Amino acid sequence: MDSASQMESAVKRVISAQYKDLFGKGPDETTVQITENIMVIKFTGILTRIEETLHRVEQGDALIREIRESIISIARRQYLPELESIAGRHIEHMTYYFSDATNQMYLFIVFEEGH
């Protein structure tokens, strides 16, 4: 990719489409920031209707987290190679933070340096 903004736009398209495919609902908003070898992807408005309902019941948050963890661990095999292709760099590490209270999720991706 020629510029960081083009890369960020491509990542946003790919990751939002993957997210929608996995959960049946895309995020309301997706932002991508790339700094040196770190990419941060922020999803806002991610809970599906059933998750919003579960969020209001006892043990619902734990169930949401368990289901999302399972889906994300499977899905990362699909979207990480696509992100590597867009960035032209190998991913060294990926982790995420999910907050059902704020209806947001962050993906933190660290690329190998020097590539």
Side-chain angles (χ1 to χ4, degrees):
M1 294 265 143
D2 292 334
S3 72
S5 64
Q6 288 176 319
M7 188 182 312
E8 290 168 359
S9 293
V11 167
K12 184 176 176 178
R13 278 191 308 277
V14 165
I15 203 77
S16 293
Q18 285 279 347
Y19 193 96
K20 184 175 183 178
D21 187 49
L22 289 168
F23 293 99
K25 173 200 177 292
D28 294 340
E29 182 180 353
T30 304
T31 58
V32 178
Q33 292 182 319
I34 302 170
T35 307
E36 295 182 24
N37 68 321
I38 297 172
M39 179 185 299
V40 178
I41 305 168
K42 177 184 175 185
F43 301 99
T44 303
I46 59 167
L47 294 176
T48 64
R49 216 173 249 172
I50 194 165
E51 289 172 327
E52 288 173 354
T53 302
L54 283 171
H55 178 63
R56 294 188 291 261
V57 300
E58 188 175 338
Q59 301 298 319
D61 292 344
L63 185 55
I64 292 168
R65 288 177 188 281
E66 182 180 336
I67 291 167
R68 282 186 170 263
E69 177 65 35
S70 297
I71 292 170
I72 290 169
S73 69
I74 292 167
R76 68 182 354 151
R77 291 183 217 128
Q78 295 172 355
Y79 66 80
L80 291 183
E82 287 188 68
L83 297 181
E84 287 179 330
S85 177
I86 291 168
R89 299 164 78 181
H90 180 71
I91 294 174
E92 188 174 299
H93 182 72
M94 191 285 291
T95 191
Y96 71 96
Y97 169 75
F98 166 67
S99 172
D100 44 22
T102 63
N103 200 4
Q104 295 179 330
M105 184 172 83
Y106 292 85
L107 285 180
F108 302 97
I109 298 170
V110 179
F111 293 100
E112 287 183 345
E113 291 194 52
H115 292 102

